Amino acid sequence: RVLIEAMSDEFDASTLLDTDEQLSFRRPGIGRDVVHKLRAGYWSIQRHMDLHGLRTEEARDAVGAFVRHAQRAGVRCVRVVHGKGLGSPGRTPVLKGRVHSWLIQKNEVLAFVQARPAEGGAGALVVLLAPGQVQRNAALVAEELWLQQAQESAAPRDPVAEQIEYWAAQFRSGKSKKT
């Protein structure tokens, strides 16, 4: 389990990032329209985490746990604030590139883009997660209900049973009593 969830600091994510006006990432099979929608705010941010003040090792563990728990809870869109590096030695971002690399290594992550200015801009990422178990279960339940309703509506109605139900309802309401 530990090896499956391990994220490396040595992983070079630069070859996997789309270099447009802002860095973005999408897994193979995920269309460019998903990145465009993510950048435009199509999905509302459901949770966020701020890595300011964390050391690299702490941040790596925090990102891994955050993504894992959010996805399992059925959360689809999150924001990860890594900072712009203004408070770091040399005023260069320490975590920014590493967060990109860590997120790419997480199978739960489908895509990410640089946040819009109001959401943190160059100091944050908006991340789209794969549907979690909660959403898969809800989809299965909805499908089962739909199939059940389709079967019930297709079943032939028994006119005798319907008449008996009608008389029983009248009897319970007192309408069948003679005065």
Side-chain angles (χ1 to χ4, degrees), residues 29-162:
I30 302 296
R32 291 186 187 275
D33 62 319
V34 172
V35 172
H36 178 72
K37 287 178 179 178
L38 193 57
R39 190 170 281 136
Y42 180 82
W43 289 277
S44 60
I45 296 171
Q46 297 169 286
R47 293 194 184 159
H48 73 273
M49 77 172 315
D50 190 338
L51 301 174
H52 283 102
L54 297 181
R55 294 187 173 139
T56 303
E57 298 79 26
E58 296 168 332
R60 182 182 55 240
D61 293 343
V63 167
F66 174 70
V67 167
R68 186 172 52 255
H69 290 117
Q71 193 259 349
R72 286 183 183 165
V75 171
R76 291 301 310 276
C77 187
V78 298
R79 177 178 53 222
V80 177
V81 179
H82 48 68
K84 297 178 183 175
L86 301 178
S88 300
R91 298 178 63 83
T92 59
V94 174
L95 295 178
K96 184 174 184 172
R98 292 187 180 199
V99 170
H100 290 169
S101 172
W102 299 334
L103 290 173
I104 289 170
Q105 294 177 66
K106 298 294 290 177
N107 290 330
E108 297 93 338
V109 174
L110 297 179
F112 63 77
V113 297
Q114 181 177 298
R116 293 182 289 179
E119 297 168 342
L125 297 171
V126 177
V127 183
L128 181 65
L129 302 177
Q133 193 62 37
V134 170
Q135 288 182 327
R136 286 190 199 113
N137 289 343
L140 290 175
V141 168
E143 184 177 357
E144 282 180 30
L145 287 173
W146 181 83
L147 288 173
Q148 183 179 3
Q149 289 173 350
Q151 289 171 351
E152 288 174 0
S153 67
R157 302 294 277 161
D158 181 358
V160 174
E162 286 182 3

